[in-house]
Amino acid sequence: MAWAAFMDFLEEKLASDGLVKLRAIRPAWKASSVEDLRDNVVEFQLLESARELGLCGKTETKALQGLLSKRNECAHPSNYFPSMNETLGYVTEILNRIGILHPKVL
């Protein structure tokens, strides 16, 4: 759920200018709304787009990709079962990342 909240935040941030800048760097994407982004663009590509638009740097993007990977490992069948402390750390990091991105504008 923490990752879903982060992606909701990021999608809204990417669409905050009416998707103008996102369409400029991704003209093949036919997204006309946040809902289109959610339905048609994979999360990894949205993270890359956020980097290209200056919302986060290369290192931040890699950290976010790591959080996405961790989310995928937990959400899909695997032998990974994080402890309560690992889970709290994950949620804390997601919230911190939102706090860092929140004041930035496209």
Side-chain angles (χ1 to χ4, degrees):
M1 293 303 294
W3 182 259
F6 174 79
M7 286 309 300
D8 181 69
F9 167 80
L10 183 62
E11 290 154 352
E12 292 288 339
K13 182 68 85 174
L14 290 171
S16 64
D17 68 345
L19 297 170
V20 173
K21 291 182 181 173
L22 185 60
R23 278 196 218 109
I25 65 164
R26 296 286 190 270
W29 293 0
K30 302 302 178 198
S32 61
S33 67
V34 173
E35 290 76 23
D36 286 343
L37 284 179
R38 291 178 180 140
D39 291 342
N40 300 310
V41 182
V42 298
E43 294 168 336
F44 190 90
Q45 290 176 320
L46 290 174
L47 294 174
E48 285 293 317
S49 298
R51 182 186 57 76
E52 291 177 43
L53 291 171
L55 289 176
C56 50
K58 185 177 179 180
T59 303
E60 291 169 306
T61 302
K62 285 186 178 200
L64 290 169
Q65 290 167 344
L67 290 168
L68 172 58
S69 178
K70 181 77 66 179
R71 177 262 176 215
N72 289 339
E73 188 176 18
C74 293
H76 303 288
S78 73
N79 292 325
Y80 180 65
F81 301 98
S83 70
M84 181 177 67
N85 287 334
E86 290 171 306
T87 303
L88 289 172
Y90 183 88
V91 171
T92 299
E93 185 167 356
I94 290 285
L95 293 173
N96 287 340
R97 298 289 175 176
I98 289 173
I100 292 167
L101 289 174
H102 188 268
K104 295 184 178 183
V105 293
L106 289 178

